[in-house]
Amino acid sequence: MFKPALAAVLVASCCSVYADDIEHISIYANRTATAQQDVLASVTVLEHDDIVARQASDLPALLAQLPGINLSRDGGRGQTSGVYIRGGNVGHTLVLIDGVRSGSATLGYKSLAMLPLELIQRIEVVRGPRAAWYGSDALAGVIAITTRRSNAVELNVNIGSYGQAGTDLSVSQHVEQLTLRASAGVSRADGFNVRKELDSDSDGYKQKFIKVAADYQTELGLWTAQADVNSGYYEFDTSYGNEDAADTFNRTYLLGWQQQLGRWQHQAQLSRNLDSEASYGPDSRSPFITARDEFNYQAQTSLSTSLTLLAGGDWYQEKVDRSSTPYEKTSRINRALFTGLHYQLNALKLEAALRRDLINQYGGQNTWQLAAGYQLTEQWMLRASRGTAFKTPSFNELYYPGYANPELKPQESVSDEVALRFVEQDFSAQLAWFDRDVTNLIQGVERAENVLLATISGVEFSVQQQWQQFSSNLAYTWLDTENQSSGLKLERRPKNTLNWRGSIVEDKWSAFITADYQSSTYQGMYASVANLGGFTLWGIGADYQLTPALKLRAKLDNLFDKNYQTSAGYTTAGANVGISLRYSPG
């Protein structure tokens, strides 16, 4: 897994400055750097300049603007947010942060609501199964995040509605073969009342983060060391009407190495990730601390001018270090071997990947991926793929008292995709059809249960266009889901979503307008409202270069103060303003 992480480091370092002048590179779709238009998968890449220009309020809001993704929010910034890729469950997306598998072992997924957007350098979203490359969790897709890799001093401050305020600083220093980097930031907001009928208080958050990293080039290879700490506090409302809050604390440490030896390129990474959350109310406190230790290795070589081989292995142990609730089992180990082939001959591209995971709780799991693409013309490519994936149940699903089901089976899927892509200098478009059958899907409110079969199918259409100083991005997704046991739709998956962004860039200023539409959603039989209506949100924003080192940005989200919900019973933000100032001397 370090190969993608290291490649992301190198790509991010150059793309942060020249994002408008070079093509986007996919790092994580097949664990090797590939031009985005040559990848045999649906991929979206956002470099740092792209992220900043969108002026999203937080990471979930940013992801919701991308094709194939919808969002459900239990309030505003800091509150629980569910990110769904192509109709999969929240836990069907693997989140990698600097190549490290991230998330809580008890929850079974990474919560993105308290991952600061200010810490992010680059985001790559791969839609579709990637379990043949990464194992468990990559059933619906992968969100791969590269944290800040600034090559210069940068200071940002921001203020906004609901008491929002924050600041962050990034610095770097080069000394011969050694590069040192550091980033730190704080932010907070008073928030707004998430459930007015139950509570009279506002639900805000506080957050701070720090990251230090070093790259050292020697005759024995390039060494990378990194540590980052992200802590926070957020308030939330429950159906019981309590004034509840939670403390979060996440730490990641990693050591990486790469070396070119003859025809082989070797990569290795050792990491430790700790995820802690302690929820508390008027009379109780519930801490949950989980840890994951991980080692990854891979090697790559060209067998011929047309054929590339990649192979490697993963090992990780995840465990419940501490909890207020006793678990029957508190640790498990996953070992895996994987290999992949990439073949290209003239207009034909082929890809195959195979992986075997050995989980001490479930035994062996085999996954595979096959993909083919044909360059019909210089601009047109037709591609097709099929892949399998799985997700092991979380510790909560297996052992949490009152909800657990120790008889749960891993969720498994078979997915197909066919896509037609058109790319030229100032215009690109893609039409993709996807279909996925999920067996043993885990659902349940009072007790986790395996659903015999769930079906998910859909169509994605996206267009990016540039004309002189004007640009336009449009993404539309049609989704059809069904729980075959009940005949009902899967919860919180809208049938139609559409995102559009138009912008203009001049010498010293730029401006944009956005429109985001989501059709009605089924909320589930236990929700306070079975179905929520659809909505359209509009937004505007602009920036101005005050001096060569100072840039001012401003935005207005929910322009027409739309009253809407994405999670039944939970209020969302009304019309709100954000203003930020960036200082970078060059």
Side-chain angles (χ1 to χ4, degrees), residues 113-155:
M114 290 294 284
L115 182 59
L117 193 60
E118 296 82 3
L119 182 60
I120 296 175
Q121 182 77 25
R122 186 179 192 271
I123 300 173
E124 180 175 343
V125 179
V126 187
R127 301 183 296 282
R130 294 285 107 178
W133 291 113
Y134 298 106
S136 178
D137 302 352
L139 193 148
V142 173
I143 297 175
I145 293 168
T146 303
T147 56
R148 289 303 306 274
R149 304 285 305 182
S150 178
N151 289 318
V153 175
E154 182 178 327
L155 174 66

Side-chain angles (χ1 to χ4, degrees), residues 461-517:
F461 177 66
S462 60
V463 177
Q464 297 83 40
Q465 185 176 15
Q466 178 78 41
W467 182 71
Q468 295 181 359
Q469 71 269 42
F470 299 97
S471 64
S472 175
N473 294 268
L474 181 143
Y476 168 75
T477 303
W478 174 83
L479 188 66
D480 184 40
T481 68
E482 185 176 355
N483 179 333
Q484 294 293 322
S485 298
S486 65
L488 299 173
K489 298 293 183 183
L490 299 182
E491 299 171 7
R492 302 187 182 188
R493 277 78 151 182
K495 190 170 187 177
N496 298 281
T497 57
L498 186 146
N499 307 97
W500 174 76
R501 184 178 190 272
S503 62
I504 178 174
V505 178
E506 293 291 351
D507 183 32
K508 289 190 175 183
W509 63 273
S510 67
F512 66 84
I513 182 170
T514 61
D516 300 293
Y517 166 76

Side-chain angles (χ1 to χ4, degrees), residues 302-368:
S302 296
L303 301 177
S304 69
T305 56
S306 303
L307 185 63
T308 301
L309 169 69
L310 187 150
D314 295 337
W315 175 95
Y316 64 86
Q317 179 183 34
E318 48 190 7
K319 56 185 177 180
V320 182
D321 268 359
R322 180 186 172 193
S323 74
S324 58
T325 303
Y327 286 77
E328 181 181 340
K329 295 184 180 180
T330 58
S331 69
R332 63 185 173 200
I333 295 175
N334 192 104
R335 294 160 291 171
L337 295 175
F338 60 87
T339 187
L341 290 170
H342 307 278
Y343 177 79
Q344 180 170 355
L345 181 62
N346 299 324
L348 178 65
K349 298 181 177 72
L350 299 174
E351 178 185 297
L354 178 65
R355 179 180 172 113
R356 178 165 177 81
D357 287 81
L358 290 175
I359 310 162
N360 63 347
Q361 193 172 5
Y362 287 104
Q365 290 283 337
N366 299 321
T367 48
W368 52 267

Side-chain angles (χ1 to χ4, degrees), residues 37-40 344-349 372-383 420-423:
Q37 65 265 27
D38 293 330
V39 176
L40 301 181
Q344 180 170 355
L345 181 62
N346 299 324
L348 178 65
K349 298 181 177 72
Y374 190 80
Q375 202 74 43
L376 302 171
T377 69
E378 186 178 349
Q379 292 82 23
W380 290 93
M381 173 188 274
L382 178 66
R383 60 178 175 83
L420 183 64
R421 181 188 300 156
F422 178 86
V423 178

